[in-house]
Amino acid sequence: MNNTADVIIIGGGVNGCAAAYYLAKRGVRDVIVLEAAKSIGHGGSSRNGGGVRQSGRDVRELPYAMYGIQYMWPTLSEELGVDVEYTQKGNLRMGKTEEHIKKLQTLASNARAVGLDVKMIDKKEVKEICPYLSDEVIGASWCPTDGHANPLTTTLGYYKRALELGVRFFTEASVKELKKVKGKIRKVILADGTVFEGETVILAAGYESRAIARTVGIDIPMMRLIDEALVTEMQPPMTDVMFGCATADFYGHQTVHGSFVFGSDSGWEPTDEMIDPSNNCVDPSKLITNAFTLSASCRAIQDYIPALTDAKIVRSWCGWLDESFDGVPFLGPVDEVPGLILACGFTGHGFGTAPSVGLMLSQMVVGEPTVVDISALSYNRFLPVR
Amino acid sequence: MFDIQEKLKEIGPYIEEADDDLLVCRCEEVTKGEIRRALHQGIFTIEEMRRYLRSGMGLCQGQTCGKLVKGIIAKELHVSPVDVYPASSRAPMRPTEMRILAEDGGVCHE
Ligand SMILES: Cc1cc2nc3c(=O)[nH]c(=O)nc-3n(C[C@H](O)[C@H](O)[C@H](O)COP(=O)(O)OP(=O)(O)OC[C@H]3O[C@@H](n4cnc5c(N)ncnc54)[C@H](O)[C@@H]3O)c2cc1C
């Protein structure tokens, strides 16, 4: 077996698969993707709420969130040959109290300041957008260009197209260590001792990227949190907007299939230290949903969308978030380790931006300027100013 | 370590079979042919298959078609069905109304 490639991507999530696809598309086809789990997209990429949003994003991320929505999401299904169910029908962030509305107003004016169309709407306008909402909702912020997509088919769609273009994928390939040769990144070593070699290495393994980067002396300040989600049985078509609320009790949307997918947490989720950190990513039985959360989520949802009170829940699940210390990802090359590029710390919103992130990663590999400036997302932003 | 391209080469291209129209997952209306075609696109695990085609993702959560899908995957990949890793079971055990799940002693309204 040939274990050498121009580019080695660690992590077969939506960001790793998207990077592989955009590299192959531009002709860099000698690419290997290493995924620790048995399934591609085993991490957050197949567990998320499918939000493709700009509202609420940090100004450092907004330019590429907007780029993806303008230029990439609308044609993605066609490009991948898989229906990614991209639906751009707006994001409604609801409020029930004056305090909520104040919070939403601040978020809306922050968004407008950086050029995003977000406005406040009143109770009547909220009902016009979705008549099924509770009368307790007194207003909302409204971003008409936000939307949602299907994370399952998006992730596997990037994978499928990359495979078709010749990218080599290995599953059950858990990376343990990186090694430099002559001052440059070179070796990627698996837990079973297998060695891969590449000119460039993209580290897109979610939270696990932290341990992997440490093996070449780089620390990426992030931690790991659990977020849960649930899905209802199929409902008649009711709405195509993305929902959220001022208190962030839940978010969600009705899928093309007809089921509603909601994400939430109760605040009682176990943290890292309570679960065996050595393998919880690979073994799905270690990712256990919490008895409090499903119940708390249902209370939050039915209080905002009473029409769903009798909807049956068919499934619930959870996933890890790679929470960066300042809420935005680590994206870009590592000065101390030439050839190593980071793409991790997506902090619970790395699905919606995956197309533009994948594209920019491919640009970094060939040394082209990225479509938007992302220098503010460098891993060394925490270094003391000298 | 599992080499996907190597396996794709080994199993060869998708060849239509007479019973490809057979409905395998009744809840989500997924046919045998769709599952076989997905396998030749690199969708090898039950977890991936559920996400790609929705087989086993409907009301019964795969209780009816789980074994059938496993059999199709095993045959197409030339492995034994016992080597096909099962899907994870999730709460709630059977579809349950939101208002029932909401009652865990917590309060509905502030
Ligand atoms: C419940 C929930 C809801 C969410 N909702 C949204 C939303 O609405 N909108 C949005 O934009 N985002 C959302 N997110 C966040 C989003 O899912 C992630 O930011 C995104 O999927 C990150 O993709 P990724 O490819 O970087 O990471 P991941 O999908 O985590 O992929 C990393 C991969 O690396 C693999 N890996 C780990 N360690 C190793 C190793 N040592 N060697 C090799 N491979 C390894 C993992 O198995 C995994 O497959 C949500 C997340 C969760 C959990």
Side-chain angles (χ1 to χ4, degrees), chain A residues 266-346:
Chain A
S266 66
W268 285 96
E269 287 72 21
T271 57
D272 233 4
E273 301 71 38
M274 296 153 107
I275 296 174
D276 176 6
S278 61
N279 62 357
N280 52 15
C281 167
V282 179
D283 182 352
S285 66
K286 300 276 164 52
L287 256 174
I288 296 170
T289 49
N290 177 308
F292 296 105
T293 309
L294 185 54
S295 210
S297 312
C298 288
R299 284 195 292 280
I301 297 160
Q302 65 182 19
D303 272 7
Y304 279 87
I305 319 174
L308 291 179
T309 305
D310 286 318
K312 286 191 173 122
I313 311 299
V314 289
R315 202 175 165 85
S316 65
W317 64 90
C318 64
W320 292 116
L321 306 179
D322 43 350
E323 183 100 350
S324 114
F325 277 19
D326 61 347
V328 295
F330 303 94
L331 212 49
V334 176
D335 299 339
E336 296 88 337
V337 190
L340 177 64
I341 298 173
L342 300 181
C344 53
F346 288 95

Side-chain angles (χ1 to χ4, degrees), chain A residues 193-228:
Chain A
T194 313
V195 181
F196 285 85
E197 295 193 29
E199 295 291 313
T200 308
V201 173
I202 298 177
L203 186 50
Y207 173 77
E208 277 71 15
S209 307
R210 184 169 196 174
I212 297 170
R214 275 182 181 162
T215 64
V216 279
I218 301 299
D219 190 40
I220 312 170
M222 58 177 166
M223 52 180 205
R224 177 157 59 174
L225 295 175
I226 267 186
D227 211 18
E228 288 203 16

Side-chain angles (χ1 to χ4, degrees), chain A residues 29-40:
Chain A
R29 301 204 170 166
D30 189 12
V31 177
I32 288 178
V33 179
L34 301 172
E35 164 57 49
K38 284 183 174 19
S39 294
I40 296 295

Side-chain angles (χ1 to χ4, degrees), chain A residues 39-40 159 295 310 313 315, chain B residues 42 45 48 61 96 99 101-102:
Chain A
S39 294
I40 296 295
Y159 159 66
S295 210
D310 286 318
I313 311 299
R315 202 175 165 85
Chain B
T45 68
E48 290 164 352
Q61 287 290 294
T96 307
R99 72 183 152 77
L101 284 173

Side-chain angles (χ1 to χ4, degrees), chain A residues 1 38-42 46-47 82 136 152-153 156 159-160 163 166-173 190 192 194 196 232-233 257 284 292 294-295 298-299 301-303 308-317, chain B residues 1-5 8 27-28 41-52 54 56-59 61 85 87-92 94-110:
Chain A
M1 197 187 70
K38 284 183 174 19
S39 294
I40 296 295
H42 180 74
S46 298
R47 299 166 189 270
V82 161
E136 288 175 16
L152 317 175
T153 54
L156 291 171
Y159 159 66
K160 187 208 75 163
L163 266 181
V167 171
R168 286 179 285 161
F169 283 80
F170 293 84
T171 50
E172 299 177 65
L190 303 191
D192 69 5
T194 313
F196 285 85
T232 71
E233 62 185 336
H257 163 264
F292 296 105
L294 185 54
S295 210
C298 288
R299 284 195 292 280
I301 297 160
Q302 65 182 19
D303 272 7
L308 291 179
T309 305
D310 286 318
K312 286 191 173 122
I313 311 299
V314 289
R315 202 175 165 85
S316 65
W317 64 90
Chain B
M1 196 175 64
F2 188 88
D3 184 336
I4 309 265
Q5 291 285 16
L8 278 173
C27 302
E28 297 293 322
Q41 294 178 331
I43 307 299
F44 287 169
T45 68
I46 290 197
E47 183 181 329
E48 290 164 352
M49 196 64 79
R50 290 170 73 106
R51 291 169 176 163
Y52 196 61
R54 295 197 55 84
M57 291 285 255
L59 263 192
Q61 287 290 294
Y85 199 73
S88 8
S89 303
R90 306 272 191 204
R94 50 172 56 89
T96 307
E97 285 86 354
M98 203 172 277
R99 72 183 152 77
I100 306 282
L101 284 173
E103 288 170 5
D104 71 343
V107 277
C108 283
H109 298 279
E110 286 143 33

